[in-house]
DNA sequence: CAATCTGGTTTCATCTTGAGACCACTTGTG
DNA sequence: CACAAGTGGTCTCAAGATGAAACCAGATTG
């Protein structure tokens, strides 16, 4: 049996998150959804994903409460896929991936999309992790506490 | 041909990042690396991953400059896998996933690991996106600028 | 120096993915 | 209203990816 392993029962939120959105296409679909893509065919042509894959991904993401379907906003009888509150919560995951990609995967001259402040049009600031009392924290300043062994 | 699609050439840093670390196991390996795991067998038993998979993942991550090998720190002749600077750059991606998981995938009563400030032992603050001039930004305050069509 | 541990590689069965044919229902066009 | 085209899928099949387990060489331990 080579069924894909499930991480759902891990006591680690990272593992559980990856169990839900950790596959090849999910985050790309969600990224496009943030960019305003809503229709099946838009996702399909934009991502170049096989229709079958897209259909199952959209169904899974919907079942997991990350997308929801809505009647088409243009008045036609078709459906649209829109991010739920839970799905919109993934915004910072996408931003973190984007900033890492920008910093480590592109040459300065490479063309790439940029995330800008809608109001001013300027690139957004780098994400920063802070402590509860607002000190700047690097990875070496933190520690993962295992779940309480109640 | 059902070869896995490559996203490397996308003009989108999110896609390119997912091309590098977007598969099932990579981020989990990296998470464990942040938690101090270094040895093959430690990764293997900790993750419950098949040895073959782990071997190829470690090789890929090393080739891609996210991990590097070093002589074992305990003086034996074995090797260790350690995050590079580029790999450590993924810290905020892991944190973002963790915070999303905590917020949306757990009941308040569920046992789970927590990320704390090493110095004080208190949970870290929520990540926040800010504009260049330090205003707080939500997803609706931002926009993705397509690459310049030079 | 024999037993065991570490860090893999290989093999095989099964699952997932990608590509494309096919289909029902909706819309647009005349 | 009739019909062509568009939308949103499902189904099938070949090939790639994954998981489990056997196997192995070199390092370490007793």
């Amino acid at each position: 049996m080579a069924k894909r392993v499930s991480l759902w029962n891990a006591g680690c939120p990272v593992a559980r998150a990856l169990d839900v959105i950790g596959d090849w296409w999910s985050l790309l679909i969600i990224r496009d959804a943030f960019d305003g893509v809503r229709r099946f065919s838009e996702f399909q042509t934009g991502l170049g994903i096989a229709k079958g894959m897209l259909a199952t991904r959209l169904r899974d993401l919907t079942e997991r409460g990350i997308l929801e379907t809505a009647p088409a906003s243009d008045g036609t009888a078709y459906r649209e896929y829109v991010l739920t509150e839970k799905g919109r919560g993934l915004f910072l995951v996408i931003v973190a991936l984007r900033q890492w990609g920008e910093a480590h995967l592109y040459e300065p001259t490479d063309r790439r999309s940029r995330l800008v402040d809608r109001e001013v049009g300027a690139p957004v600031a780098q994400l920063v992790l802070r402590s509860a009392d607002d000190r700047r924290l690097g990875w070496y300043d933190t520690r993962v506490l295992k779940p309480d062994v109640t």
Side-chain angles (χ1 to χ4, degrees), chain A:
Chain A
M1 294 172 311
K3 184 175 291 180
R4 195 168 240 183
V5 165
S6 166
L7 276 15
W8 182 256
N9 289 314
C12 173
V14 179
R16 201 175 274 197
L18 288 173
D19 193 58
V20 176
I21 49 140
D23 75 276
W24 202 250
W25 291 112
S26 296
L27 277 173
L28 287 169
I29 292 172
I30 293 163
R31 173 204 64 175
D32 278 7
F34 273 114
D35 292 351
V37 171
R38 296 160 156 256
R39 296 280 285 257
F40 187 96
S41 55
E42 268 184 298
F43 284 110
Q44 207 229 318
T45 63
L47 293 171
I49 184 178
K51 295 173 75 171
M53 279 278 79
L54 179 57
T56 60
R57 285 292 168 276
L58 289 174
R59 188 182 328 111
D60 290 353
L61 288 172
T62 303
E63 280 172 5
R64 292 166 174 183
I66 291 169
L67 295 175
E68 62 190 354
T69 54
S73 50
D74 61 0
T76 62
Y78 298 117
R79 287 192 301 174
E80 292 185 345
Y81 296 88
V82 197
L83 288 167
T84 60
E85 170 62 25
K86 181 172 172 180
R88 291 192 295 272
L90 286 164
F91 183 58
L92 291 183
V93 173
I94 307 268
V95 173
L97 276 169
R98 167 178 286 277
Q99 294 192 341
W100 180 77
E102 288 174 344
H104 296 280
L105 268 20
Y106 283 81
E107 298 301 320
T109 58
D110 288 343
R111 297 166 63 247
R112 61 169 198 261
S113 64
R114 285 156 204 279
L115 183 69
V116 301
D117 176 353
R118 188 185 291 273
E119 190 175 329
V120 178
V124 302
Q126 289 291 119
L127 286 171
V128 174
L129 181 66
R130 290 182 179 277
S131 65
D133 56 340
D134 215 39
R135 281 170 295 120
R136 231 182 148 90
L137 257 29
W139 65 275
Y140 40 80
D141 295 317
T142 66
R143 201 159 61 88
V144 171
L145 231 53
K146 295 269 169 272
D148 314 326
V149 192
T150 39

